[in-house]
Amino acid sequence: MGIIEIIGGIVLLIACVLMIVLGLMQDQKTDQNMASAITGAAYDSQFNKNQGRTKEAILKKWTLWLAILFFVATLVVTIVPVYL
């Protein structure tokens, strides 16, 4: 095993564990259903309009970046040793 494979494997493990932790930290989404239409529950509050700065939005962005890192590291670990 080369150094690139070892470093790539470590990056893969760290990204995988962090993605799992961030995924578990995110809240579940509640969909609008018929009960909310009947009871008059509104989902257009000020909190929903500013979702870009909430904890959920930050967790979602970090999860996306970790998924991209995981994908790139997987490609590097599989493709680079073939050409070296």
Side-chain angles (χ1 to χ4, degrees):
M1 280 174 72
I3 294 176
I4 295 175
E5 290 175 323
I6 294 171
I7 293 172
I10 292 170
V11 169
L12 282 171
L13 285 173
I14 292 171
C16 182
V17 169
L18 286 176
M19 276 194 310
I20 291 170
V21 170
L22 288 177
L24 290 173
M25 288 175 59
Q26 292 179 6
D27 293 334
Q28 293 181 350
K29 294 183 179 180
T30 55
D31 294 331
Q32 291 182 348
N33 53 17
M34 288 302 292
S36 64
I38 293 170
T39 59
Y43 286 99
D44 56 344
S45 64
Q46 186 65 26
F47 178 73
N48 287 337
K49 291 179 183 176
N50 292 326
Q51 284 186 347
R53 290 173 255 174
T54 62
K55 179 188 89 164
E56 289 83 15
I58 293 170
L59 289 175
K60 184 178 176 183
K61 287 178 189 176
W62 275 101
T63 306
L64 175 69
W65 283 109
L66 283 171
I68 292 170
L69 174 70
F70 184 81
F71 181 72
V72 170
T74 303
L75 289 176
V76 168
V77 168
T78 23
I79 294 175
V80 169
V82 172
Y83 293 108
L84 292 180

